[in-house]
Amino acid sequence: KQKIDADDSSNDDWERLKDEICTQLRAMPSDECFVRALELKQLAVSEVQRHSTHLVSAMNMINQNSSVPLSAASVDTNLKKGSDWLENYHQLVQFYRVNGHCNVPPSEHKLYQWVIHQKDTRKKLNDEKTSLLNQIGFEWDKGFSEAPATAPSSSGNDTATNPSLPHLAPSSAFSPHLPIPPERPQICHKIPKANLGPMCEPDPKNDHVPVPEFRQLVNYPNAKHFARCVMCNDDTHKIPKQNKGVCTSCDEGVWMLLNSGMQIRWCKGCKNFKKWISFGIKGHSTKCERCRTQQAERYALNKKERAIDAGVPAEVVESLDKNE
């Protein structure tokens, strides 16, 4: 009898608790109600896994899709509480809840840099960190994938395509397929090829002016993190690894600095922008005059060494030097 009374009392307490939860959920805005309901679902899954292991398979059938952690308290992890990695992860979870994706824009500098670091050090992350990031649909490729197209609206009338993922109304749509806003006015302008001659005209105004550092020349300094060109913000052309983010279209053109009128061109030998006038009579060569001269000297030296190794007489080798 005492056991029955205890069970009845427990049932009454549970019913009162359910009524209180329902009352609170009904009083919430639709988006908040959705999130809190998912938190309750995550809590139920966690408790079943902890106390009722024989029901885990049944729970997995109900919860076929992986649950996304919704708050710091709901992340079940062995990582040290308060660690920098976990704090940044919690910020990313909150970003996901609001935007429905993990494509953090450069404007959120600290979190953006942390996300880039996770991609760069993926092979060094342990299984637990990798699993936590995968739970929120983390994009591991270097480019940033487009935000989900079917995120529910703020009206709460839309139904999420995956009920286990908290795709809430995005506060700011962000897609790598849209132009990345420059953090400053455009620095350089590409001169149309039709307006260029075979070589650079003398430029007395900039004769003694050095070319600015590379980071001061690019129009879109953050574009390389999105697999886009740092000069034109385009992703349709290949970007060689040694080009510092400059695509194969932009490294063939001539650019003009808008503030000074200086004309520059990418040198594949220096792996940097040089004054166009430094390319000499071969204005549209891939290397500046200095690099071409060094290349010719190396070629002549190698040719001489190969001739000596092949046993060519000394007088013939000397004649090669004179011909060069």
Side-chain angles (χ1 to χ4, degrees):
K1 184 178 179 180
Q2 290 177 349
K3 186 175 183 302
I4 293 174
D5 290 342
D7 289 342
D8 290 342
S9 176
S10 177
N11 289 336
D12 291 342
D13 291 342
W14 174 245
E15 291 300 326
R16 281 194 295 270
L17 180 59
K18 282 200 303 183
D19 290 342
E20 183 179 349
I21 292 173
C22 288
T23 301
Q24 291 190 24
L25 289 175
R26 293 189 188 105
M28 294 176 184
S30 58
D31 284 354
E32 185 179 358
C33 178
F34 177 73
V35 172
R36 299 306 176 194
L38 286 175
E39 286 181 346
L40 291 172
K41 180 181 178 182
Q42 178 71 11
L43 178 62
V45 172
S46 177
E47 292 304 314
V48 167
Q49 291 174 343
R50 185 177 290 109
H51 300 299
S52 307
T53 54
H54 62 290
L55 295 175
V56 169
S57 58
M59 178 61 77
N60 288 339
M61 291 177 64
I62 298 172
N63 188 48
Q64 291 181 358
N65 297 309
S66 61
S67 298
V68 175
L70 299 171
S71 66
S74 65
V75 176
D76 187 9
T77 176
N78 294 321
L79 297 175
K80 184 179 179 181
K81 301 295 183 183
S83 67
D84 290 341
W85 194 95
L86 201 55
E87 289 300 320
N88 283 306
Y89 177 73
H90 291 157
Q91 292 180 29
L92 184 60
V93 169
Q94 296 305 316
F95 179 89
Y96 181 90
R97 287 176 58 188
V98 174
N99 298 278
H101 60 84
C102 297
N103 300 331
V104 180
S107 58
E108 298 194 25
H109 180 72
K110 184 178 178 182
L111 185 58
Y112 170 78
Q113 293 295 337
W114 183 81
V115 168
I116 294 297
H117 182 68
Q118 303 314 300
K119 296 173 186 287
D120 292 341
T121 60
R122 180 180 182 181
K123 294 182 179 179
K124 298 181 181 180
L125 295 178
N126 59 37
D127 292 341
E128 185 174 13
K129 290 180 179 179
T130 302
S131 176
L132 287 172
L133 290 169
N134 285 336
Q135 287 181 33
I136 54 175
F138 191 82
E139 296 286 345
W140 292 101
D141 57 344
K142 292 296 181 183
F144 278 55
S145 67
E146 188 172 3
T150 56
S153 67
S154 58
S155 63
N157 296 327
D158 295 334
T159 302
T161 55
N162 186 345
S164 67
L165 300 179
H167 295 307
L168 302 182
S171 59
S172 59
F174 179 77
S175 168
H177 302 291
L178 299 176
I180 302 169
E183 296 180 353
R184 55 190 176 191
Q186 192 173 23
I187 306 297
C188 297
H189 170 70
K190 190 175 183 180
I191 304 174
K193 197 168 185 179
N195 298 347
L196 295 172
M199 58 182 289
C200 182
E201 298 293 332
D203 184 16
K205 178 183 174 183
N206 292 302
D207 271 351
H208 303 290
V209 180
V211 179
E213 294 181 15
F214 176 78
R215 59 186 177 85
Q216 297 175 332
L217 295 174
V218 297
N219 292 319
Y220 302 89
N222 291 310
K224 63 182 179 180
H225 299 303
F226 298 81
R228 290 171 170 271
C229 175
V230 295
M231 297 302 292
C232 66
N233 189 30
D234 198 353
D235 61 357
T236 56
H237 299 281
K238 183 179 178 181
I239 302 177
K241 188 175 182 180
Q242 67 274 17
N243 267 26
K244 300 181 180 179
V246 180
C247 72
T248 52
S249 175
C250 292
D251 71 5
E252 295 177 352
V254 176
W255 295 78
M256 182 178 68
L257 272 66
L258 298 179
N259 61 348
S260 65
M262 180 188 293
Q263 295 179 351
I264 58 175
R265 179 176 169 82
W266 181 261
C267 174
K268 292 189 176 181
C270 299
K271 297 179 177 57
N272 208 337
F273 283 106
K274 307 291 288 185
K275 289 182 181 179
W276 189 29
I277 199 168
S278 68
F279 284 73
I281 59 174
K282 295 184 178 180
H284 295 279
S285 172
T286 59
K287 295 181 180 179
C288 67
E289 200 167 32
R290 183 177 68 89
C291 288
R292 294 200 306 271
T293 301
Q294 290 177 347
Q295 184 178 18
E297 291 173 351
R298 287 194 299 269
Y299 175 77
L301 181 61
N302 290 336
K303 187 176 180 180
K304 181 179 178 180
E305 290 175 348
R306 288 196 301 269
I308 294 173
D309 293 341
V312 177
E315 58 271 14
V316 177
V317 172
E318 290 179 3
S319 66
L320 288 175
D321 286 342
K322 292 178 181 179
N323 292 334
E324 292 295 338

